[in-house]
Amino acid sequence: MNWQFGGIPLHPLFVHLTSVAVPVAALAAIAVAAWPAARRWLSVGAPIIALVALVSVPLATSSGEWLEHREKETALLERHTELADGLLPWSIAVFVLLVLWWGWYRFGVARVTSSGALRAVGIIGPVLLIAVAVGSLIEVVVIGHAGAASVWKG
């Protein structure tokens, strides 16, 4: 695929989308995990934001790989591309956990009669959501910094 528009690489556009969507999805995940009111406000919105983030990651990495083959290879660029491969699992985890969290509160809570199960999901769910959200935030910052360094120092 030709990852250009009007002769300009699309990678910066996809990177900016990813740089916004992944942190917004992570912050939405943290909000719904830690704040019950946000769970109502962001019920369907949080998984949709996470889906946008999830779709943006392969767009950014594919367009980046295309661009990498047209640029001078440097250690900084190699580090950036290696780090970028690690963002997809984090984005998948945020999306899947947000969908499960939404489904739990939409359909599961009313059907569960065990207080132990309610308590377990009420503790494990937020901990997992916050952990993967923080992991994806850290990952996108580290990748972005490495990409900026490869452009401006490389």
Side-chain angles (χ1 to χ4, degrees), residues 29-113:
I30 292 168
V32 300
W35 190 19
R39 205 172 298 133
R40 289 185 299 276
W41 300 335
L42 295 170
S43 63
V44 177
I48 291 171
I49 294 166
L51 179 61
V52 170
L54 176 58
V55 169
S56 75
V57 172
L59 291 172
T61 54
S62 295
S63 63
E65 288 169 1
W66 177 87
L67 186 59
E68 178 186 20
H69 296 300
R70 285 149 183 80
E71 295 293 320
K72 178 183 168 195
E73 189 172 326
T74 65
L76 291 171
L77 180 60
E78 183 65 30
R79 174 163 165 69
H80 171 62
T81 56
E82 285 176 6
L83 288 170
D85 290 335
L87 186 57
L88 187 59
W90 289 103
S91 295
I92 291 169
V94 169
F95 173 70
V96 167
L97 288 174
L98 276 171
V99 168
L100 290 173
W101 194 243
W102 169 81
W104 171 254
Y105 277 96
R106 178 75 172 100
F107 304 108
V109 172
R111 294 191 174 131
V112 175
T113 57

Side-chain angles (χ1 to χ4, degrees), residues 118-131:
L118 286 172
R119 195 173 19 247
V121 171
I123 293 169
I124 294 169
V127 168
L128 285 175
L129 263 173
I130 291 170

